[in-house]
Amino acid sequence: MAIGLASCGSSGSRGGTSNQVAPTISSQPSGLTVTMGATAMFHVVATGTGPLTYQWFINTVAVGTNSSTFTIMQTPTSDNGAQIYVTISNTAGAITSNTVTLNVNAAPPPSGVNVLTYHNDLSRSGQNGNETILTPANLNSSNFGKVGFLAVDGLVDAEPLYASGLMVSGLTHNVVFVVTENDSVYAFDADTFTQLWKISVLGANETASDDRGCGQVTPQIGITSTPVIDLQAGSHGVIYLVGMSKAGSGNYFQRLHALDITSGVEISGSPVTIQATYPNQSGQTTFDPKQYKERAALLLLNGVIYTTWASHCDNGPYTGWIMGYNQTTLQQSTVLNIIPNGSEGATWMAGDGPAADAAGDFYFLVANGTFDTTLDANGFPVNGDYGNAFIKISLSGNRLGVADYFTMHNTTAESDEDEDLGSGGEILLPDLTDSVGNKWQLGVGAGKDGHIYVVNRNLMGKFNTNNDSAIYQEISSNGLAGGSFATPAYFNNAVYYGAVNDSVKAFSIVNAKLVAPAESQSSSSFAYPGTTPSISSNGTSDGIVWAVENQNGNGVLHAYDATNLGNELYNSSQAANRRDSFSDNKFITPMIANGKVYVGTPTGVAVFGSL
């Protein structure tokens, strides 16, 4: 929003009755230049005896209300060059302000960039390969920094999402979507930072959930996971999300919502209350909504929205649920519990979502929980309990099932020591070819033990009581200096990791395997929880690695040359007078689109771009 106001003398008065004082102007309106669709506000300060009457004019046509302020909402291009002035009057006379000009620039064209799911794509690569504005050559603290802040009503733990060229209220906008732990959803113009719409997904007489006695997400739990957007769904596109809430009666709810992305209105059939049962050896286990939060990002795959569930700290009872919902009807289509006869098995992944391949299978990392060390004839846990594992899920006959898995030989000891795999996220690599021409389809993940596990997605390795020799590759030394509470990223034949108390590291891929030690690393070390890098590039050129550092609640945004992490291009502490400062949440994934970087905070989204 732009406000036109400048101090200068009065003009154009005429006399009135002797016992009244005619109006005078102490601050004239100012001319404005705005972008189409932005709000333009003109203001005048006048004094005089008795009530003053204000009449605003655009090109000599009387407009507006009787107020010292005149506002044009969503300014059209037809107002470009408009002449604005106001006449103020009382019983003693009238005065007319200076005439000022409103310039309306055409809205920026659609960027063509969309970030519709966590870490950019179904493989969770973290790469936006369509960034043409930000380059290593032009990025520094003199011309880049914090340019805006999108204020909201609660913590922003989910990654913001971005859709270009949306028609909202008759105007085209590039749009940023933000969700909060207060169960609110916002749409902002990405270029003007104007709020386009806001909606609460709370039911009647409900609030966001309390923190359930766990400090991981506090003081309230609402929308924690990153939503997913389908631009082809509904009439204009749909954003899908899960919100947790609490009724005045004390009951807790988890609901799947589907909102029109141009208005925030719930589509037909939305919301759906999330409920589930699953058979086990005792009969069945039942999903209790108060015991869970949706932490991992949603996955939209082949028309189904998949949710995976985490606990509140390690507060039991809980088990490992996966649920699928038809994205059109929102009806539950499939349910799987990966620890039906044991306990625990949350899906955290520091906010990462399950990663999917072209075959329609998806992969994720499970936290500590029961693992049946007794295997059946095919090498699967005899009771179907898969705690602390790297898991492949397939859909066969409209039923979810574990198609393959890997867990380390000391999995029970690691679970008992809370040193599980599920603290970090996974990514899928593009198909790789080794030196003899073999093609490999690989996935990468790491957890609290600090080992990097590279699995062959077609033969993951399962469980061996003596060693991990069946896994495709394991990096336990010269790799990460601490545990992983973050998701890696992939760019140009390298995997980028940010472990706890470690540098951001780039592990190059040679002969279809990661090479340790890292090819390059940052000079900065990242305290708990480490950092999840995101990457911007123009195809395979101009790669920049973006990472958020948590310094006891104060955030620092870093930018590194992707070809050499020792070359830091920018960080938000470089500018004087805390120009680029912001507060940080623990697990934040930066989102980059169309020359700007969006970073979630406890009260909104900090926006960085060209100054």
Side-chain angles (χ1 to χ4, degrees), residues 350-374:
D352 186 17
D357 62 19
D361 302 321
F362 62 89
Y363 305 77
F364 63 105
L365 306 180
V366 180
N368 48 287
T370 303
F371 180 83
D372 307 325
T373 55
T374 300

Side-chain angles (χ1 to χ4, degrees), residues 70-85:
F70 171 55
T71 303
I72 305 174
M73 302 295 292
Q74 295 186 331
T75 311
T77 53
S78 58
D79 278 351
N80 185 44
Q83 302 297 292
I84 311 292
Y85 61 92

Side-chain angles (χ1 to χ4, degrees), residues 123-195:
S123 68
R124 312 300 184 185
S125 72
Q127 182 187 348
N128 169 16
N130 298 294
E131 179 54 56
T132 59
I133 298 172
L134 300 173
T135 72
N138 66 23
L139 188 60
N140 58 69
S141 60
S142 296
N143 58 27
F144 181 88
K146 191 168 68 173
V147 295
F149 189 81
L150 310 178
V152 297
D153 63 5
L155 277 78
V156 179
D157 286 320
E159 180 184 355
L161 299 177
Y162 186 103
S164 66
L166 292 186
M167 187 66 68
V168 181
S169 300
L171 297 172
T172 301
H173 300 266
N174 298 321
V175 182
V176 176
F177 297 90
V178 182
V179 297
T180 78
E181 295 291 359
N182 196 41
D183 276 314
S184 294
V185 187
Y186 293 78
F188 293 93
D189 186 291
D191 303 295
T192 67
F193 310 144
T194 303
Q195 181 180 306

